[in-house]
Amino acid sequence: MRRLFPVTDLTAADTSGEWSLDRLADAYAYPAADGPWLRANMVSTLDGAAQHDGRSQPISCESDMRIFGTLRGLADVVIAGAQTVRQEGYRPARARDAFAARRAAAGQTPAPAVAVVSGSLDLDFSLPLFVSPLVPTLVLTGAGAPPDRIATARKAGAEVVIAGEGSRVDPARAVRELADRGHRRLLTEGGPRLLGQFVAEGVLDELCLTVAPLLTAGDAQRIAGGPAVEVPKRFALASLLEEDGFLFTRYRRP
């Protein structure tokens, strides 16, 4: 990693041109706050596509994945929508030696938990994400979720968290429910529909957005979908990292 320019402290740039995982972890550390902090990590092309052929991997790069791993290494829980879990082939988060001491000092589990948001619970609960995670996977759903699917999820070893009425998961309640379980450092990886819900509800605190120097055209989703907010929400640039034309931006709610 190179050329990291924190807006509030230009002297923090690494003149050697390289950033270790430890330096990245310092740069992306969660703020010291009593309440939960919800961070999103997304990637987009120059023309606004969040996916290509239905997946984010084709528009990513090695450095983007390095930051992806760092953000996971700092989080208590990774939140993802059911469609994203299916499309991206989610597996359990793994423990990494590079973050072991940092996580232990912060009182965190060896790896972040994964929380899947699904109203219908139309998920394959035989997958490793549910039956063999290092930390039990959570499933966020509504009170009206099918009882048989709730029972299947619990039998597989998942922790079912009711975070809404009917089949809908309420974004603000989901954040509160996770915080009540000790998950203060929250990371969502989308997809666009879930991120749009967090934005509309006003509970997103930070966006880490990779801008890929690619043009794809087509009708791919943007990083956030769903109904438009009544008034655009303003965020402030916190830091900027560039490598090989990719921009790694970080914006925070003022």
Side-chain angles (χ1 to χ4, degrees), residues 16 18 43 45 48 58 61 64 154 160 177 230 233 235:
S16 69
E18 296 296 331
V43 60
T45 62
C61 66
D64 182 45
R154 287 174 171 159
V160 178
E177 292 288 347
E230 186 173 338
K233 299 181 184 297
F235 275 52

Side-chain angles (χ1 to χ4, degrees), residues 17-178:
E18 296 296 331
W19 281 74
S20 66
L21 285 177
D22 199 50
R23 291 290 301 278
L24 281 174
D26 287 341
Y28 282 90
Y30 280 82
D34 293 332
W37 183 269
L38 177 60
R39 163 185 284 169
N41 182 33
M42 302 293 283
V43 60
S44 170
T45 62
L46 294 175
D47 51 349
Q51 304 166 338
H52 187 63
D53 288 337
R55 300 179 64 236
S56 60
Q57 189 277 332
I59 62 174
S60 182
C61 66
E62 183 178 348
S63 296
D64 182 45
M65 295 309 298
R66 189 172 175 83
I67 291 179
F68 172 92
T70 298
L71 297 182
R72 279 197 163 199
L74 297 173
D76 294 330
V77 63
V78 177
I79 311 168
Q83 184 66 8
T84 295
V85 167
R86 289 189 287 264
Q87 287 182 334
E88 302 285 351
Y90 264 54
R91 297 184 63 83
R94 58 191 177 90
R96 299 181 61 187
D97 291 342
F99 301 102
R102 188 182 294 263
R103 293 186 68 85
Q108 294 174 289
T109 54
V114 175
V116 183
V117 178
S118 175
S120 67
L121 299 186
D122 181 17
L123 298 160
D124 184 352
F125 290 110
S126 68
L127 294 175
L129 176 62
F130 301 103
V131 300
S132 58
L134 183 62
V135 180
T137 294
L138 300 99
V139 178
L140 299 169
T141 193
D148 61 322
R149 298 304 296 165
I150 291 177
T152 300
R154 287 174 171 159
K155 184 177 180 180
E159 179 182 353
V160 178
V161 179
I162 304 301
E165 303 302 323
S167 61
R168 180 179 180 272
V169 174
D170 178 79
R173 182 172 169 182
V175 170
R176 291 196 303 270
E177 292 288 347
L178 290 171

